[in-house]
Amino acid sequence: MGIGNYQVQPAAVRGVLANVRAEREALATLRTTLRNDVEDLMAAAKMRAVVTALSSVWNDVLAVQAEAAETRVDNAVNGMEAALRAYEAGDVAMMDAARATMGRSPALAVDDAITVGP
């Protein structure tokens, strides 16, 4: 269905959202890998200052940025899914209203009726 100068194709939107969900899962896996790598570096470090710095980099920068990115993706997907449901519900409501209107018996007022005298 067209809105303005563009077309909304729900099946195509669902396909894109499925791809985004898959990429989101990959992002979570990469986050886990990165955390494991930071922990490995911390275990290999000989100086407490280096361990503390690595911990701070993870806790204050990397984990925060990863969480923010994951949350933005989740919010975007959830918002798009809600918009798609609303769009489809609107289509259904419009079609139901149109069908009801078309199926209604017209109320006719005949203004030029001919009457027969007694």
Side-chain angles (χ1 to χ4, degrees):
M1 169 181 242
I3 297 178
N5 293 327
Y6 62 93
Q7 294 281 331
V8 175
Q9 298 175 351
V13 173
R14 280 192 191 86
V16 170
L17 290 174
N19 290 339
V20 172
R21 275 190 223 96
E23 290 292 325
R24 166 60 175 86
E25 290 303 316
L27 185 61
T29 300
L30 290 171
R31 177 181 178 169
T32 300
T33 300
L34 180 58
R35 180 192 164 112
N36 292 340
D37 289 347
V38 170
E39 288 176 334
D40 290 346
L41 287 170
M42 290 171 65
K46 304 293 183 210
M47 296 174 55
R48 179 147 179 86
V50 173
V51 172
T52 301
L54 288 169
S55 173
S56 292
V57 166
W58 174 259
N59 293 333
D60 300 337
V61 179
L62 298 174
V64 172
Q65 291 300 315
E67 185 66 32
E70 292 171 351
T71 299
R72 284 191 297 271
V73 171
D74 291 342
N75 289 345
V77 168
N78 292 338
M80 198 62 222
E81 287 172 336
L84 184 58
R85 284 191 302 273
Y87 175 81
E88 291 176 323
D91 269 0
V92 169
M94 284 188 296
M95 287 303 298
D96 288 347
R99 283 189 190 107
T101 299
M102 289 186 293
R104 220 179 287 141
S105 297
L108 303 175
V110 179
D111 296 333
D112 59 349
I114 298 175
T115 58
V116 178

